[in-house]
């Protein structure tokens, strides 16, 4: 039985390392299929994908459910990166002694009620905020990744002193300080909780823990106590990080047990085992009462979890106010620009779990978490923010790695014609108008030439054609004016297809080029 | 003959010899090493460069043994060579090869790109060509590589952050690509030097043409090689598709950066004064836009 713990630690260690690597990988060295395969094992993203579209990658949710029904909450110890992080944090604490605790069912029920109420109110933000994969993803993307980049750049600097350019420096321009601070604070609280009370989060606020706990009620294989040999010494409950073993009643609460196997080797009389029930005088105090408050709480949570796919349309259908009369300065974006493949704000916010996998994968760092852009219902969901970069025409990374299908994988040709938003030119902020000197930075960067330069009083002024604009944000990123941009992208509520860029410009755009076969001097 | 006659004859012969350098006599008849500007039409970029540089006196006239060379092509955009937005990779590779062949200590190639730098370096084909030729690609998109410098003659641009490898180099070879530009009409050699500074936005909002000329008073390239193999006729500087590009097969080489830009403007079909920063740079004595005063060599390669 002791080897079970060793196996768990090996597998959990590997899963955590790989998962962290996938988020931290800033140079795109890890292939997309590795990322997809890993995130497909995660319960909440796979569930969202299953209920909103399906496809092969949604199978992970069913596999995990099946495993849990049979083996209990093995997911929580083997596959959940947040749980594994908790285990690691708890291990660092020496002389740790746990105590068997009450199920806190009042708290669990309250959590479920609040979640349910917010869901009925049309907001999935609480599910997103408390989901373990999302919490891990945000921590990895906003904290671990920048730290690793700093280390990489330090190494690059040292190597360059020796004349070697083998380690390339990486630009750390995309830091959303507000979101990062919030995530760091959350992580701090979670780690503190883990060091103090082990898996307490998993058995109170975690929605996945609640659902899988429900599924484990009738698990065939579970940690059990042989009451005939147990003498209630309590040695097992002292090492149980889920605080689910009651030595006096000789019971192991399967709905809270995270199947870490830590207890198996500790019992002096060998009364703990993991397996099917034997025909003994009761196995640990009998099965829980069918209609216990615990079960009720868990069932409610299960209902809450099942609803992600059916987000109530009413709350999302509010019309954005029409942009009448562009204000000159300051410039404010009314609708956030959602990533290519997200189809639009509604499709996106119904499926995004704010894990920030897309933010960690975006090579230009234009995708950043948005604190207020989507309102309360989309807290921390990412949007394109051109002050950090712009959407690369040849790139489809975000759609390829999104674990829930909130951002669909688009073929490159389709992506290059998908209009995320429309360009808006704010003439009174433009350098050429203000200073009467040449600029042209916006048109320079435009991949479709939705922004062209037209002669006006001897200088070249931008002219925009929103129909061929794809909303990549390159113009906004390049515009040098201060304090407010003279050109920016206003998000489309629903993505549409842009018209194809002009290939043969009309005669009026004569650039002066003359085909000349000789030497003109 | 008596002694007086002998002395007179010797002095006459000696001064005749001294005053009329036989080597320059030879040079005058063959016109070797005297031209200011070479223009090549036809052929492939590497061959065009070899012919062109030999007319200028060979690569050895610009690079001495053991020197550190920086080659500055245009690698600004994440586009393949057929789009004509970046310098032709074959040309860059050949330049690197020639520098190393005359004994350069090291040859580095860099640019502060507009698009993602790893993509630009790779997809333009320049990284592969430089590596094959034995040169070293240097990243240009990290601020820590840039050092503050003052530009004393600058009117709008009085200081800039310049890439330290460029400042430390013994030889700077500027290899721009001849193409249309939406606001400056053409982007040529002097504008290509924007790629060695960190803050380009400042130039764009502070009179772009003046800043380009200002910077050229400070940054003196030793040689400019204009890549006119593929010329972007419109939608520059990035272009939208291959249809924006014409296969012109031209190359212009000179020391004087203003002269190269003036000749390139004419090659495109415009006049030097049509490109704002050329007359400004000429007025600031960066060089001369007057091609009539230059000795120009024209080379035509079949094919």
């Amino acid at each position: 039985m002791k080897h079970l713990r060793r196996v768990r630690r090996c597998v959990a260690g590997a899963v955590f390392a790989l998962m962290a690597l996938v988020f931290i990988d800033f140079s795109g060295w890890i292939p997309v299929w590795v990322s997809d395969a890993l995130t497909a094992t995660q319960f909440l993203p796979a569930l969202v994908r299953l209920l909103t579209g399906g496809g092969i990658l949604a199978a992970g949710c069913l596999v995990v459910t099946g495993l849990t029904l049979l083996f209990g909450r093995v997911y929580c110890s083997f596959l959940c990166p947040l749980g594994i992080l908790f285990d690691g944090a708890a291990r660092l604490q020496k002389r740790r002694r746990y105590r068997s605790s009450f199920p806190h069912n009042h708290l669990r029920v309250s959590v479920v009620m609040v979640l349910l109420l917010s869901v009925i109110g049309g907001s999935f933000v609480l599910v997103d905020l408390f989901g373990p994969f999302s919490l891990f993803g945000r921590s990895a993307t906003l904290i671990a990744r920048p730290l690793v980049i700093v280390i990489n750049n330090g190494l690059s600097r040292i190597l360059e002193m020796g004349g070697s350019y083998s380690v390339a420096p990486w630009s750390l321009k995309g830091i959303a300080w507000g979101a990062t601070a919030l995530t760091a604070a959350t992580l701090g609280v979670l780690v503190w909780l883990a060091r103090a009370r082990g898996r307490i989060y998993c058995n109170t606020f975690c929605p996945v823990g609640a659902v899988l706990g429900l599924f484990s009620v009738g698990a065939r294989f579970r940690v059990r106590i042989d009451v005939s040999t147990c003498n209630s010494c309590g040695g097992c409950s002292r090492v149980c990080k889920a605080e689910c073993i009651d030595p006096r009643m000789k019971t192991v609460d399967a709905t809270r047990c995270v199947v870490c196997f830590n207890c198996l080797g500790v019992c002096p009389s060998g009364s703990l085992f993991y397996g099917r029930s034997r025909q003994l005088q009761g196995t640990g105090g009998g099965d829980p009462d069918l209609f216990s408050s615990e079960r009720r709480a868990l069932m409610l949570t299960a209902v809450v979890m099942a609803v992600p796919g059916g987000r109530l349309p009413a709350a999302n259908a509010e019309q954005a106010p029409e942009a009448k009369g562009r204000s000159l300065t300051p410039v404010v974006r009314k609708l956030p620009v959602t990533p290519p493949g997200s189809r639009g704000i509604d499709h996106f916010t119904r499926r995004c779990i704010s894990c920030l996998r897309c933010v960690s994968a975006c090579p230009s760092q234009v995708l950043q978490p948005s604190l207020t852009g989507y309102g309360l219902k989309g807290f921390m969901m990412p949007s394109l923010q051109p002050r950090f970069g712009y959407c690369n025409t040849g790139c489809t990374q975000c759609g390829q790695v999104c674990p829930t299908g909130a951002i669909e994988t688009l073929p490159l040709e389709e992506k290059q014609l998908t209009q995320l938003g429309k360009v808006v030119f704010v003439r009174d902020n433009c350098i050429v108008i203000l200073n009467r000197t040449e600029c042209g930075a916006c048109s320079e960067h435009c991949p479709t030439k939705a922004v062209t330069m037209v002669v006006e009083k001897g200088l070249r002024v931008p002219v925009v054609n929103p129909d061929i604009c794809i909303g990549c944000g390159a113009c906004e990123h390049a515009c040098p004016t201060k304090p407010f941009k003279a050109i920016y992208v206003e998000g489309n509520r629903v993505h549409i297809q842009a018209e194809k860029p002009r290939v043969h410009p009309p005669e009026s755009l004569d650039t002066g080029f003359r085909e000349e076969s000789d030497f003109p001097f | 003959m008596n002694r007086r006659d002998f002395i007179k004859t010797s002095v006459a012969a000696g001064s005749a010899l001294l005053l009329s350098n036989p080597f320059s006599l030879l040079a005058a008849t063959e016109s070797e090493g005297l031209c200011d500007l070479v223009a090549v039409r036809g052929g492939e970029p590497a061959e065009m460069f070899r012919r062109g540089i030999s007319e200028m006196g060979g690569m050895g006239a610009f690079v001495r043994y053991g020197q550190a060379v920086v080659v500055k092509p245009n690698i600004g955009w994440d586009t393949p060579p057929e789009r004509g937005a970046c310098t032709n990779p074959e040309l860059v590779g050949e330049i690197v090869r020639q520098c190393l062949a005359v004994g350069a200590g090291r040859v580095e190639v860099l640019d502060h790109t507009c698009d993602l730098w790893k993509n630009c370096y790779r997809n333009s084909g320049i990284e592969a060509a430089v590596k094959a030729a034995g040169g070293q690609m240097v990243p240009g998109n990290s601020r820590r590589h840039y050092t503050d410098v003052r530009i004393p003659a600058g009117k709008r641009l009085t200081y800039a952050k310049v890439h330290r490898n460029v400042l430390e180099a013994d030889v700077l070879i500027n290899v721009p690509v001849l193409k249309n530009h939406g606001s400056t009409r053409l982007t040529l050699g002097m504008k290509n030097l924007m790629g060695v500074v960190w803050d380009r936005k400042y130039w764009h909002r502070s009179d772009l043409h003046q800043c380009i000329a200002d910077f050229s008073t400070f940054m003196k390239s030793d040689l400019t090689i204009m890549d006119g193999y593929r010329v972007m006729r419109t939608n520059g500087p990035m272009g939208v598709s291959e249809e924006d590009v014409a296969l012109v097969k031209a190359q212009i080489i000179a020391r004087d950066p203003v002269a190269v830009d003036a000749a390139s403007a004419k090659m495109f079909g415009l006049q030097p004064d049509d490109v704002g920063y050329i007359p400004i740079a000429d007025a600031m004595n960066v060089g001369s836009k007057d091609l009539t005063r230059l000795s120009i060599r024209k080379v035509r390669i079949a094919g």
Side-chain angles (χ1 to χ4, degrees), chain A residues 295-380:
Chain A
R295 247 215 215 193
R296 254 179 276 136
L298 297 171
M299 277 198 275
L300 272 170
T301 316
V303 169
V304 165
M305 294 294 296
V307 186
R311 293 189 184 193
L312 301 171
N316 283 325
E318 356 122 358
Q319 285 295 309
E322 277 294 301
K324 288 187 179 73
R326 173 59 50 215
S327 61
L328 304 171
T329 54
V331 164
V332 173
R333 203 190 324 273
K334 296 224 159 49
L335 288 180
V337 185
T338 56
S342 62
R343 307 275 180 220
I345 295 180
D346 287 344
H347 179 280
F348 185 59
T349 54
R350 282 174 191 237
R351 290 161 176 77
C352 177
I353 55 168
S354 305
C355 72
L356 305 189
R357 178 71 190 96
C358 56
V359 173
S360 70
C362 179
S364 71
Q365 290 290 272
V366 64
L367 279 179
Q368 294 291 333
S370 176
L371 288 178
T372 56
Y374 294 101
L376 209 58
K377 73 168 188 284
F379 187 69
M380 284 284 214

Side-chain angles (χ1 to χ4, degrees), chain A residues 160 390 439 503 511 517 521, chain B residues 115 145 183 233 243 298 300:
Chain A
E160 272 174 36
Y390 52 93
C439 174
V503 166
T511 59
S517 60
F521 41 76
Chain B
D115 286 334
H145 286 129
S183 72
R233 307 168 294 135
E243 268 139 63
K298 298 170 190 175
R300 187 166 269 295

Side-chain angles (χ1 to χ4, degrees), chain A residues 24 112 148 174 231-232 242 248 254 258 305 359 363 414 454 521:
Chain A
I24 288 170
V112 168
V148 173
N231 64 359
S232 296
R248 278 178 301 124
V258 292
M305 294 294 296
V359 173
E414 189 185 336
V454 156
F521 41 76

Side-chain angles (χ1 to χ4, degrees), chain B residues 152-169:
Chain B
K155 296 205 174 104
R156 292 302 299 274
L157 188 73
T158 52
Y159 107 100
K161 279 185 171 5
V162 177
H163 199 290
R164 61 168 188 223
N165 288 50
V166 171
L167 294 172
E168 288 165 6

